[in-house]
Amino acid sequence: MSNKPTYEQQGVAMTCRSYEEYLKMFALSNEGLLKGSILDVAAGASSFVAEANMKGLKATAVDPMYELHPDAILHKGLQEIEISTAKLANLQEHFDWTYYGSIENHRNIREASLQTFVKDYRSNGDSRYISAMLPELPFLNESFELVLCSHFLFLYGEQFDGTFHRQAINELLRVCRKGGQVLIYPLKTLGFELYSELAGIVNELGSNGVEARYDSSELPFIPGSSELLSLVKHE
C-alpha cells in the first residue's frame, strides 16, 4: 500500500478564496486587471469577483452552484471549510504555509471570503453570478479580456478525463478575446502530482496557434505547485 499523501475528496469542493489570494495564485497586479472584463470560472464562493467590482473592475463569476439560494451557499460553505480544515490538519506538513502562516489563518481567510461573497451574491446575484458549468459557458465568443480558472481543471484530474479537459480549455479560449489571456492554477492533482495529460494538451494548443507557457505562481501552497498555465490567443 502506498503512503503517498493525497487530499481525499469526493466530488468537487466549494472554493472560498479571496481577491489577494487570486493576485498571488495568478501572479496578477491591480493595475493589470484594469485592462478589460474578467471571467472567473468555477468560482464557487470565492470573493474575487465581489472585491474586484468594489475596486471598480468589471468581473463576472460562473459556477453551477449559483442556482442556489444565498443561505444554502453559506451553509454549504461553512460545512466545506470545516471539513477541508480537518483534512489540511492531517496533511499540513506537506503544504507550504509561507503565505498563510498557520492553518488557523488559512481558515479565517476562507470564512471571510465566504461572507464577502454571500453579501455580494445577495445583492448582485443576477448580474455578476451566472449558473453554468464547463465545458459549455453561456457567453459570446471573445467576451472577456482575462479568463481565470482556479482549483478545478487539472486538480480533479482523476474525476474528469482528458477529453473533458480539452473541451473545457477550448471553451475558456473561445470566450477569451484575441490578445487576451486564460490562466489556470494549479497544475497538480489532489494526489499532488502533475496532471498526466498536461504536456500533451499544451503541445496541442501550440499547434493550434495558442501561446502556452508555464508562469511562476506566487502562492505555491499545494506541494510543488509553483507554476500556473498561461494561454494567450494571438491577434
Side-chain angles (χ1 to χ4, degrees):
M1 182 178 294
S2 173
N3 292 321
K4 181 175 66 68
T6 299
Y7 186 95
E8 300 292 344
Q9 176 66 42
Q10 297 296 320
V12 177
M14 178 188 294
T15 180
C16 302
R17 291 176 169 83
S18 68
Y19 180 89
E20 289 299 325
E21 286 174 279
Y22 271 62
L23 293 188
K24 292 290 187 180
M25 284 189 297
F26 294 114
L28 298 169
S29 66
N30 287 304
E31 296 76 17
L33 291 172
L34 293 171
K35 293 179 179 179
S37 57
I38 307 162
L39 178 65
D40 186 8
V41 180
S46 291
S47 60
F48 171 77
V49 164
E51 295 182 74
N53 280 281
M54 291 176 197
K55 297 176 184 294
L57 304 174
K58 184 180 179 183
T60 302
V62 61
D63 193 287
M65 78 172 192
Y66 297 153
E67 57 188 30
L68 298 177
H69 188 275
D71 291 342
I73 293 179
L74 177 60
H75 178 71
K76 180 177 174 64
L78 291 172
Q79 284 187 321
E80 180 64 44
I81 292 169
E82 183 78 24
I83 293 169
S84 64
T85 300
K87 291 178 183 178
L88 286 176
N90 291 327
L91 294 167
Q92 58 183 311
E93 69 273 15
H94 298 288
F95 289 83
D96 184 338
W97 296 94
T98 303
Y99 176 79
Y100 297 106
S102 68
I103 194 168
E104 292 78 14
N105 194 43
H106 180 277
R107 176 174 185 153
N108 291 339
I109 291 172
R110 292 286 169 277
E111 292 176 343
S113 177
L114 174 62
Q115 296 293 343
T116 299
F117 163 83
V118 170
K119 182 178 179 180
D120 193 58
Y121 182 66
R122 291 186 193 278
S123 302
N124 300 286
D126 293 335
S127 59
R128 295 177 186 166
Y129 300 97
I130 310 301
S131 177
M133 63 189 297
L134 289 170
E136 295 183 7
L137 301 177
F139 305 109
L140 297 176
N141 293 349
E142 302 184 18
S143 294
F144 301 93
E145 185 71 26
L146 177 64
V147 179
L148 307 174
C149 188
S150 157
H151 292 81
F152 177 58
L153 292 177
F154 308 141
L155 185 67
Y156 293 93
E158 285 90 5
Q159 295 186 38
F160 298 94
D161 64 14
T163 298
F164 174 86
H165 276 78
R166 287 169 171 83
Q167 292 174 342
I169 291 171
N170 285 334
E171 184 71 349
L172 299 181
L173 288 165
R174 181 187 69 79
V175 301
C176 183
R177 292 173 185 160
K178 290 180 180 178
Q181 193 173 29
V182 174
L183 301 178
I184 304 172
Y185 176 87
L187 310 183
K188 297 291 185 76
T189 68
L190 291 169
F192 308 147
E193 296 180 341
L194 194 67
Y195 177 59
S196 61
E197 297 195 41
L198 179 59
I201 290 173
V202 167
N203 288 335
E204 291 166 16
L205 290 169
S207 300
N208 292 327
V210 176
E211 179 186 347
R213 65 175 186 263
Y214 299 108
D215 289 341
S216 295
S217 170
E218 297 172 4
L219 186 58
F221 177 60
I222 295 172
S225 291
S226 58
E227 293 182 320
L228 60 99
L229 181 62
S230 169
L231 307 176
V232 179
K233 291 180 68 173
H234 291 298
E235 297 283 0

